[in-house]
Each structure stands twice: as C-alpha cells, then as structure tokens.
Amino acid sequence: MEMAVISGDGVFSHTCLGASDLAASTKFYDAALGALGVKNLGPFGDSAVLYGRDKPAFLVLRPGNGGAPSSNGVTVGFAAASPAEVDAFHKAGLAAGGTDEGAAGPRGHLPGAYAAYLRDPAGNKVCAYTFTAA
C-alpha cells in the first residue's frame, strides 16, 4: 500500500515549516515530536521529511523558492496527551538544538491550558499543548 503524502484532519490538509538545515531540523523534530508520539515517516523527495502518527500531516522542508525560511508570526501547535508529554517535548527539543520560547507550564489565557514553546533550528516557533481539568 502506498503511503499517503498528506492526511488532513477535516480542517487542514497538512502543515509545512521551512528548514535552512534539513538535517538539524530533522534531529530537532525527531526528538521533540517523538516525545508526543509523532513519528518521522521518512523523506519526501530530497528536500522534505514527513511526520505523523499514522499518516503524514506535518512536513519539514527546504523552501521551494530557494530562499531562507520565513515564519515570523507563525506558531504551529502540537497536541500533547498530558503535561508530562509537554514537559518531554520541551526538554527533548532543547536537547536537540531548539531554543526556549516559553517554558512548560500552565497558561492563564485558557482554563486548564498547559503548554511549552520552542524555536526550531531554523527559527520557527512550535509548541505543545494539553488541557487539564481547570
């Protein structure tokens, strides 16, 4: 059976973030997303890597126009099953070359929100979120 290129979730077909160093970004996402149970599903051509649980939904890639990645103002949020997964995402991402953009902990803007924010090696902002009983 051939692997689907994108899976969609009823709202989005997929999400892409640019990488200036695909190997460094792959190392980061393997660690950070691995802590959330999201797997590296392999390369897509020679300029992208696919991630997902069962089917690809998130792609890390070299920008198609050859320019530098640019995502100022964009944040991609990944679902976590628990505060422990959020903590693991943050710790693994930092250890794999990410930088802190907001330590793991409660967020006051939504009842029960618990999140952590990182910048990946290309400067993209990503986070992991879960919700606990408020």
Side-chain angles (χ1 to χ4, degrees):
M1 183 171 171
E2 188 173 322
M3 181 187 296
V5 174
I6 55 176
S7 62
D9 64 3
V11 177
F12 299 104
S13 63
H14 64 288
T15 300
C16 298
L17 285 180
S20 49
D21 180 337
L22 193 56
S25 290
T26 299
K27 177 183 174 186
F28 171 83
Y29 284 108
D30 284 358
L33 297 184
L36 301 177
V38 176
K39 300 174 287 227
N40 177 330
L41 299 175
F44 183 59
D46 62 357
S47 62
V49 177
L50 304 169
Y51 288 88
R53 294 196 192 285
D54 298 313
K55 297 186 286 186
F58 177 67
L59 289 77
V60 178
L61 48 78
R62 288 187 198 99
N65 66 3
S70 174
S71 63
N72 190 32
V74 173
T75 301
V76 176
F78 295 95
S82 66
E85 275 197 359
V86 172
D87 295 345
F89 163 87
H90 194 256
K91 182 178 179 181
L94 289 174
T99 56
D100 181 45
E101 190 70 17
R107 296 299 190 259
H109 57 279
L110 291 170
Y114 189 93
Y117 288 81
L118 293 165
R119 293 277 177 175
D120 74 6
N124 297 301
K125 186 163 50 167
V126 295
C127 66
Y129 254 82
T130 193
F131 291 89
T132 61

